[in-house]
Amino acid sequence: MGAIKPLGKYPGARRGGDYLFVSGMSARMADGSVPGDVREQTRVVIGKIRDALAGFGAGLDDCVAITSYLVDMRDFDGYNEVYNASFAAPGPARTTVAVHQLPHPDMLVELTATAYKPQHGEST
């Protein structure tokens, strides 16, 4: 999928000890466009999180917490369908909140992630 440079002065992901913190990811593409409906956007966002974690040798199974921002809670079912297909049970802890808007008028969803990936050895 390839990393897209953040619009501000912050990393897409950062290590803090044995934890990885993935900045808010949206479906914004390199050309500035935002694709499709909430299902497509959720797939893109989770792919970007996967790519960010891979840069640290981690994956979605290492996620311990996700915060999700939806512009419209009527999109929850479509978002949740893709989310559930992306994470193995029991999945990370999750909070989903409704927001008034996101930085691009076509953005419907944004996610942040926290993962646990020890710098040395295996996770417990």
Side-chain angles (χ1 to χ4, degrees):
M1 183 158 294
I4 295 174
K5 184 178 176 175
L7 296 176
K9 289 182 89 176
Y10 59 89
R14 183 170 179 167
R15 178 178 283 284
D18 289 338
Y19 288 89
L20 303 170
F21 300 91
V22 180
S23 296
M25 295 283 174
S26 72
R28 181 178 61 87
M29 307 308 280
D31 66 1
S33 67
V34 177
D37 66 6
V38 74
R39 285 176 177 84
E40 183 177 356
Q41 287 191 27
T42 303
R43 277 190 283 279
V44 169
V45 171
I46 291 173
K48 286 181 176 184
I49 290 171
R50 182 183 300 113
D51 290 350
L53 292 171
F56 293 92
L60 293 177
D61 288 343
D62 297 305
C63 287
V64 295
I66 300 283
T67 303
S68 307
Y69 305 92
L70 292 176
V71 172
D72 189 338
M73 278 297 177
R74 290 175 290 197
D75 286 335
F76 182 84
D77 289 343
Y79 146 79
N80 201 43
E81 176 187 310
V82 175
Y83 180 95
N84 286 339
S86 301
F87 292 95
R94 182 177 85 178
T95 301
T96 303
V97 297
V99 296
H100 173 68
Q101 64 186 29
L102 291 167
H104 186 287
D106 295 330
M107 284 181 189
L108 303 173
V109 61
E110 182 172 321
L111 278 70
T112 66
T114 302
Y116 180 74
K117 184 69 172 177
Q119 294 182 62
H120 307 291
E122 295 295 315
S123 63
T124 55

